[in-house]
Amino acid sequence: MTKRFCFSVDVDRDVNECVPGRSQAISRPNGKEEIRFASSEKGANAIMKMLNETGIKATFFAEARTLDDIDTNFGKNEVAMHGLDHEDMTGEESGIKLSDEQLEEIFLSSVNIIRDKVGRTPKGFRAPYMRTDERIMNLLSKFGASYDSSLYAKIGTQPYGTGIGIKEIPVPESTDINGKRITGYLWPMHEGTRTFNDFIEMADRTGDGVFVIATHSWHIAETISGGILPNAKMKKNIDNVRKIITSLLDKGFEAVTMEQIAERK
């Protein structure tokens, strides 16, 4: 079986953070009712330039409010759902349990904004903060989705059916040679605590599963530890992502979108 990988990007408000008593996310730092999109836009445009250079297509999980604000042309790349305002949909951290009607309105608004911006109905969903539940999963098919990517699973796990017409395409997780947890999210690399080689080594252990790489568009241009990055550090961030992608292509991995994975039997 051909080895496959999917490069996925969460396009959401800058350095988003859930705060108690509010379902919608704010942008860090703590304590300010601030919402920013500038780093997300800058990072998304840098990622698009890199994708055009490498010749692969990615899946962008777009928070609809961010998508409506930024000036980015996603071309023929897939754009899927990631909430309306990066809501804590389960209320686990915010303490606010959204009603069924509120969840439906979030999905309806998300679909309409994505369709208006990119001209296509989204086929997939990734929950903000990777937190979902049965109510949310049951809503996906109602709004045209065929897959979800909101769960972590042991590296090498194949995409699987959920019994409700939705395929789960999990983000891989494993341990490194030191026994420390590592996932397909590139967050630690952007924050300087892992190297691109850690993720290449992880991909080597995927086997016949799909290796899902995940990042945030804002994390290219801004980090939690370093704030808004100068151009040189932003370039290094993009170069590290490119190194992972080109290495996987050199190793014989096929680049696919989430929608392509969901469509395969």
Side-chain angles (χ1 to χ4, degrees), residues 174-183 188 193-194 205:
S174 184
T175 54
D176 61 18
I177 58 173
N178 297 313
K180 185 178 179 181
R181 182 175 183 260
I182 182 172
T183 77
T193 59
R194 282 197 178 277
R205 295 185 278 115

Side-chain angles (χ1 to χ4, degrees), residues 1-262:
M1 183 180 290
T2 303
K3 297 183 292 185
R4 296 171 291 165
F5 79 96
C6 177
F7 178 51
S8 66
V9 183
D10 299 350
V11 181
D12 41 29
R13 57 198 60 193
D14 299 349
V15 204
N16 49 78
E17 178 178 36
C18 182
V19 293
R22 177 183 175 130
S23 62
Q24 300 93 346
I26 64 170
S27 298
R28 288 182 176 90
N30 289 328
K32 291 186 178 180
E33 297 293 307
E34 180 182 28
I35 300 173
R36 298 183 284 107
F37 305 99
S39 292
S40 194
E41 178 180 303
K42 192 173 183 181
N45 288 329
I47 289 170
M48 278 305 306
K49 183 174 184 294
M50 183 268 295
L51 290 175
N52 291 334
E53 292 168 352
T54 58
I56 73 164
K57 291 184 175 62
T59 295
F60 291 86
F61 289 100
E63 175 210 307
R65 195 76 66 193
T66 300
L67 185 66
D68 206 26
D69 188 273
I70 66 175
D71 183 14
T72 300
N73 184 352
F74 293 97
K76 295 184 178 180
N77 292 277
E78 181 189 3
V79 179
M81 294 180 285
H82 192 50
L84 176 61
D85 287 290
H86 209 274
E87 296 86 358
D88 179 17
M89 289 187 169
T90 65
E92 181 179 328
E93 188 172 349
S94 69
I96 298 177
K97 183 176 176 62
L98 298 174
S99 67
D100 293 349
E101 292 75 18
Q102 286 174 311
L103 288 173
E104 291 201 21
E105 180 57 36
I106 287 168
F107 277 106
L108 179 61
S109 297
S110 297
V111 169
N112 287 340
I113 289 172
I114 292 172
R115 188 187 291 135
D116 180 63
K117 288 293 181 178
V118 303
R120 300 185 295 276
T121 299
K123 297 300 181 183
F125 173 71
R126 175 174 288 159
Y129 313 110
M130 300 287 278
R131 290 200 288 265
T132 187
D133 58 23
E134 185 177 356
R135 286 195 308 156
I136 296 165
M137 292 295 293
N138 285 330
L139 278 174
L140 293 184
S141 58
K142 179 176 181 178
F143 290 96
S146 59
Y147 74 85
D148 174 73
S149 184
S150 303
L151 301 178
Y152 293 102
K154 182 180 178 181
I155 190 168
T157 300
Q158 293 279 8
Y160 58 89
T162 61
I164 56 173
I166 299 294
K167 182 175 284 188
E168 185 64 39
I169 307 173
V171 176
E173 65 177 352
S174 184
T175 54
D176 61 18
I177 58 173
N178 297 313
K180 185 178 179 181
R181 182 175 183 260
I182 182 172
T183 77
Y185 261 100
L186 303 182
W187 186 295
M189 182 181 75
H190 297 314
E191 293 293 333
T193 59
R194 282 197 178 277
T195 72
F196 63 87
N197 283 317
D198 290 326
F199 298 95
I200 295 171
E201 188 276 332
M202 185 184 182
D204 285 337
R205 295 185 278 115
T206 300
D208 291 336
V210 177
F211 186 65
V212 175
I213 307 168
T215 192
H216 296 81
S217 55
W218 59 261
H219 228 153
I220 299 297
E222 182 174 356
T223 63
I224 296 171
S225 57
I228 296 174
L229 300 176
N231 288 338
K233 288 189 176 182
M234 182 176 163
K235 181 179 182 300
K236 181 179 180 181
N237 254 337
I238 275 289
D239 286 345
N240 284 339
V241 176
R242 182 187 287 107
K243 287 173 183 176
I244 295 172
I245 289 173
T246 56
S247 178
L248 296 188
L249 292 172
D250 289 344
K251 289 173 179 289
F253 281 78
E254 175 191 3
V256 292
T257 64
M258 292 275 185
E259 185 176 0
Q260 288 173 321
I261 296 170

